[in-house]
């Protein structure tokens, strides 16, 4: 089980840099997520996210999402979500199906997620498919509310499309609220663009 996360981390770090040249931009990410765990291991939630690029002058994307998920075992869970995503050029209605596994090596925790996305382009009346593989490594600091983490996520279908590389910290404000502060490098294969963003997210469990 350990080999798969390490293999994915290698792919995330080295595949994108096989491109010869990159254009560099600065951007921002922000998000709010609200979720509710039921007594029967079901999770209901919603999420709004907004991303900007080109020194914050241009919208990269935004979406509003509703989701439902369930814990299958103590280490395996699934999630089904639907959202509406908007960009400067087009809007999409999407369906997302995710399967996540989690474990640890001593105090270090890992999460591996596989996600399939079906997207319908509203303007062109077309659709496309996408797979995303994400690996997160985190370390909850003992006697602290802070958890540093590193994360990589690859986007692909017929070929490699994009990679996200994250580094950040999650701060448990209380038993219900978490603030996530991070930096992310978004490597877009089609345009050879690297967008470096500072992000903040707020998660509320009700």
């Amino acid at each position: 089980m350990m080999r798969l996360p390490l293999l994915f981390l290698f792919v995330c770090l080295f595949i994108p840099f096989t491109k010869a040249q990159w254009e560099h931009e600065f951007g921002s990410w922000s998000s709010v997520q609200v979720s509710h765990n039921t007594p029967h291991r079901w999770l209901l939630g919603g999420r709004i996210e907004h991303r900007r690029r080109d020194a914050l002058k241009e919208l990269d994307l935004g979406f509003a999402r509703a989701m439902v998920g369930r814990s299958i075992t103590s280490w395996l869970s699934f999630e089904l979500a639907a959202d509406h995503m908007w960009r400067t050029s087009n809007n999409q209605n999407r369906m997302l199906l995710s399967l996540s596994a989690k474990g640890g090596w001593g105090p270090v925790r890992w999460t591996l997620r596989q996600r399939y996305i079906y997207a319908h382009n509203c303007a062109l009346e077309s659709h496309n498919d996408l797979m995303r593989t994400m690996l997160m490594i985190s370390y909850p600091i003992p006697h602290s509310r802070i958890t540093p983490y590193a994360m990589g996520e690859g986007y692909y279908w017929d070929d490699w499309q994009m990679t996200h590389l994250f580094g950040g910290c999650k701060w448990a404000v209380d038993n219900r609220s978490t603030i996530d502060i991070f930096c992310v490098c978004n490597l877009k294969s089609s345009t050879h663009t690297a967008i470096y963003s500072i992000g903040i997210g707020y998660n509320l469990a009700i």
Side-chain angles (χ1 to χ4, degrees), residues 116-137:
Y116 165 75
I117 300 177
Y118 173 87
H120 175 259
N121 189 308
C122 302
L124 301 178
E125 290 298 325
S126 61
H127 75 275
N128 63 282
D129 304 283
L130 184 66
M131 294 295 289
R132 292 166 52 174
T133 304
M134 182 274 290
L135 172 67
M136 181 171 69
I137 306 293

Side-chain angles (χ1 to χ4, degrees), residues 72-87:
I72 302 171
T73 68
S74 61
W75 58 273
L76 187 66
S77 62
F78 80 91
E79 179 184 281
L80 179 64
D83 69 19
H84 179 73
M85 185 183 73
W86 55 90
R87 295 179 181 269

Side-chain angles (χ1 to χ4, degrees), residues 115-193:
R115 172 172 285 175
Y116 165 75
I117 300 177
Y118 173 87
H120 175 259
N121 189 308
C122 302
L124 301 178
E125 290 298 325
S126 61
H127 75 275
N128 63 282
D129 304 283
L130 184 66
M131 294 295 289
R132 292 166 52 174
T133 304
M134 182 274 290
L135 172 67
M136 181 171 69
I137 306 293
S138 61
Y139 176 73
I141 299 176
H143 313 295
S144 171
R145 293 179 178 267
I146 296 176
T147 301
Y149 68 88
M151 183 168 70
E153 184 168 27
Y155 293 56
Y156 55 94
W157 188 252
D158 293 328
D159 54 12
W160 202 268
Q161 299 182 18
M162 186 162 54
T163 296
H164 288 158
L165 300 173
F166 292 80
C169 286
K170 295 185 179 183
W171 172 39
V173 180
D174 52 37
N175 291 334
R176 289 187 167 187
S177 303
T178 303
I179 294 177
D180 184 10
I181 300 174
F182 58 90
C183 296
V184 55
C185 178
N186 180 1
L187 300 166
K188 298 191 175 188
S189 178
S190 59
T191 59
H192 296 191
T193 304

Side-chain angles (χ1 to χ4, degrees), residues 28-101:
S28 68
W29 287 31
S30 56
S31 66
V32 175
Q33 180 168 311
V34 179
S35 59
H36 173 67
N37 283 290
T38 73
H40 303 289
R41 296 191 298 179
W42 286 94
L43 173 70
L44 307 174
R47 181 180 180 88
I48 297 175
E49 188 165 314
H50 184 85
R51 306 178 193 172
R52 300 198 69 82
R53 58 181 296 181
D54 192 15
L56 310 183
K57 293 182 291 186
E58 181 183 340
L59 173 71
D60 188 16
L61 65 84
F63 63 78
R65 177 177 299 166
M67 51 206 179
V68 58
R70 192 175 193 275
S71 297
I72 302 171
T73 68
S74 61
W75 58 273
L76 187 66
S77 62
F78 80 91
E79 179 184 281
L80 179 64
D83 69 19
H84 179 73
M85 185 183 73
W86 55 90
R87 295 179 181 269
T88 305
S89 57
N90 64 75
N91 295 339
Q92 293 183 352
N93 294 317
R94 306 188 301 176
M95 181 175 293
L96 307 90
L97 179 61
S98 306
L99 188 66
S100 300

